[in-house]
Amino acid sequence: MRSLWALILVLAPLHAGGISGEEYRSRRAELRKSLDGVMVLFGANEPEDLHVSFFQDPNFLYLSGWREPGAVMMLTREEEIIFLPERNFREENFTGRKLGAGDPDARDKTGFDRVLPRSALEAEFARLAARSEKIYSIPADPRAGRLLALAPLHEQRSAAALLAPMRMIKSPAEIELLSKAAEASVAAHLAAWKRIRPGLYEYQIAAAMVDTYQELGCERSAYAPIVGSGPNSTILHYMANRRRMDSGEVLLMDVGAECSDYASDVTRTVPVNGRFTARQREIYNIVLGAQNAALAAVKPGVKIRGDHSLYSIAYDYINTHGKDLHGEPLGKYFTHGLSHHVGLDVHDLSDANAPLKAGMVITIEPGIYIPEESIGVRIEDTVLVTETGSRVLSGALPRDPDEIEKLVRK
Ligand code: GLY
Ligand code: MN
Ligand code: MN
């Protein structure tokens, strides 16, 4: 175990710096090379709800690195423009100074050669649309809809379809940040295992985990922590984290850090008192067997779902091992997908039908959830697809049930 704690110490000065302005610029250049129309992307607005902090739209972030609300970008093969909202001093009193299009450092700070106020949006859109037949946007966005109404005869195309192939293949800098996020999540899970004991509340475990990765330099959680004990372990996205855990139960922790905008997604299921019951261990080992079978199959060319996919490998394993209390196979208790891409978003933009390629980062996360027995087990790792197979970015976190028992029992 010494090596795991050494890993945590090595992680301490984690500040990775993030993606360079040059990389954002080259992503736009790459996209624009084949762009046969106008792409319009809306950044996220400032949330009015005090319960949530600002999350930039991931497509917007991917192409710009811009983290202030209310921006819009327009790209064509020849031009790129970012539009910034007019400064609003009353709002800035609450949420801080924002960059205005007229600020002298607006080009430097945004990395765009042209920075215009939002008031110029419609005129610029009309100008660019007049030179092309296609508009690329995210059509579900009502703000895009209002703009598109100005060009009713243009062909409407999906911006996501152009962005997905780019976002699915991670650059070296992205892989570095995704690795940091996964390693910080490993440290968080290990810290939780040290803390777990009967009588604690689920939110106390969540607190220990979030504290660990934030201390390591990761700014926030990649998603709301899921810490479910006993019956709550069978609820896939349980986020209330309010229950008191008891001896004899399992605790499912699906908790991942976000570092410099990049996510991780890691789940382990452990016994609250440090010892799995025979039945919990049986179910755990089936999920582990399914995960190992799927992990062994990860390599370029393989598909995530469909026939002969990673999903079918995991499902077949689960459905041919063990039974429920009624003698039925367990496949019906694997109630979610096996895998999704991870990047700026924990469920990253992707084409789930595309075969894997080197440089993709995905999860492998089989699970069995039996409410009747109050047993839910998920084991989830974040995995980089390599030329020859895979590297498990969260692989330093034990999965073997004996090793887990030792670490939880102290
Ligand atoms: N943490 C959410 C998921 O595993 O998809
Ligand atoms: Mn996941
Ligand atoms: Mn997860």
Side-chain angles (χ1 to χ4, degrees):
M1 256 328 84
R2 190 171 294 157
S3 61
L4 283 171
W5 291 106
L7 166 79
I8 294 173
L9 291 177
V10 170
L11 275 170
L14 181 135
H15 308 286
I19 300 294
S20 69
E22 197 40 55
E23 182 160 338
Y24 290 118
R25 203 180 265 276
S26 74
R27 290 174 185 174
R28 294 197 296 276
E30 177 67 24
L31 178 82
R32 285 171 49 202
K33 265 198 298 202
S34 56
L35 190 56
D36 58 346
V38 190
M39 184 179 285
V40 187
L41 289 178
F42 284 77
N45 285 332
E46 191 105 73
E48 282 169 24
D49 180 351
L50 288 178
H51 296 97
V52 291
S53 56
F54 175 72
F55 273 76
Q56 182 54 288
D57 172 84
N59 287 322
F60 203 94
L61 192 58
Y62 180 78
L63 288 174
S64 68
W66 189 243
R67 287 184 196 79
E68 291 189 8
V72 184
M73 78 172 88
M74 258 178 229
L75 307 175
T76 66
R77 196 172 298 168
E78 294 78 25
E79 293 185 51
E80 54 179 41
I81 310 171
I82 189 165
F83 300 85
L84 301 181
E86 309 291 341
R87 290 187 57 200
N88 177 327
F89 297 100
R90 206 187 112 71
E91 246 174 52
E92 286 186 6
N93 184 39
F94 287 92
T95 60
R97 168 79 156 95
K98 302 293 185 311
L99 189 74
D103 287 345
D105 52 356
R107 287 174 52 179
D108 264 6
K109 283 203 164 145
T110 59
F112 281 70
D113 290 338
R114 290 193 75 203
V115 187
L116 297 177
R118 281 272 304 245
S119 53
L121 190 63
E122 294 185 1
E124 287 296 312
F125 178 71
R127 178 178 69 81
L128 294 174
R131 300 182 193 170
S132 64
E133 290 167 0
K134 295 176 192 158
I135 314 284
Y136 290 85
S137 68
I138 307 291
D141 188 333
R143 297 166 303 169
R146 278 196 291 279
L147 204 59
L148 297 184
L150 301 174
L153 300 179
H154 281 64
E155 196 180 319
Q156 311 290 341
R157 294 281 185 98
S158 158
L162 292 188
L163 282 160
M166 293 178 70
R167 285 183 55 188
M168 282 196 291
I169 306 289
K170 270 56 182 184
S171 71
E174 290 183 295
I175 290 169
E176 166 110 14
L177 294 172
L178 288 160
S179 303
K180 299 279 185 215
E183 286 160 16
S185 301
V186 169
H189 281 260
L190 290 171
W193 299 359
K194 270 182 90 111
R195 180 103 174 84
I196 288 168
R197 62 187 134 78
L200 286 185
Y201 284 83
E202 294 158 344
Y203 57 79
Q204 291 177 285
I205 300 304
M209 300 182 83
V210 174
D211 181 63
T212 302
Y213 49 69
Q214 290 193 326
E215 278 293 336
L216 289 172
C218 297
E219 299 87 345
R220 60 187 181 184
S221 302
Y223 47 94
I226 297 165
V227 180
S229 59
N232 294 337
S233 65
T234 68
I235 304 170
L236 302 185
H237 282 174
Y238 169 76
M239 293 172 186
N241 300 349
R242 283 166 177 263
R243 184 175 176 277
R244 189 174 166 279
M245 62 192 77
D246 230 330
S247 189
E249 297 172 345
V250 292
L251 183 68
L252 185 154
M253 290 157 285
D254 183 346
V255 182
E258 181 186 294
C259 304
S260 304
D261 304 318
Y262 281 84
S264 58
D265 197 2
V266 179
T267 308
R268 289 292 184 272
T269 308
V270 310
V272 169
N273 65 10
R275 267 203 208 285
F276 287 110
T277 65
R279 178 62 170 164
Q280 289 165 355
R281 183 178 272 263
E282 182 193 0
I283 299 296
Y284 185 94
N285 277 328
I286 295 169
V287 177
L288 183 59
Q291 197 202 26
N292 283 334
L295 282 171
V298 175
K299 63 175 183 197
V302 173
K303 284 193 168 188
I304 282 179
R305 67 178 189 198
D307 291 341
H308 311 294
S309 65
L310 296 176
Y311 174 84
S312 61
I313 290 171
Y315 178 87
D316 290 346
Y317 188 97
I318 288 172
N319 208 39
T320 53
H321 289 77
K323 295 273 190 279
D324 70 7
L325 295 181
H326 314 281
E328 298 283 325
L330 295 176
K332 65 179 170 192
Y333 299 98
F334 176 22
T335 48
H336 54 74
L338 177 76
S339 180
H340 55 81
H341 288 249
V342 180
L344 287 171
D345 227 343
V346 62
H347 291 176
D348 215 33
L349 181 69
S350 66
D351 170 0
N353 295 314
L356 295 180
K357 286 186 183 163
M360 292 181 171
V361 174
I362 60 169
T363 62
I364 297 293
E365 50 173 310
I368 295 176
Y369 312 89
I370 313 178
E372 189 182 10
E373 299 186 58
S374 287
I375 299 177
V377 175
R378 176 158 70 255
I379 310 174
E380 175 174 30
D381 282 280
T382 306
V383 177
L384 169 68
V385 182
T386 63
E387 297 291 345
T388 52
S390 68
R391 178 155 63 86
V392 182
L393 301 180
S394 49
L397 187 61
R399 297 181 296 132
D400 175 77
D402 293 331
E403 220 177 318
I404 287 175
E405 284 189 343
K406 267 190 224 134
L407 285 166
V408 174
R409 215 180 309 142
K410 273 79 83 171

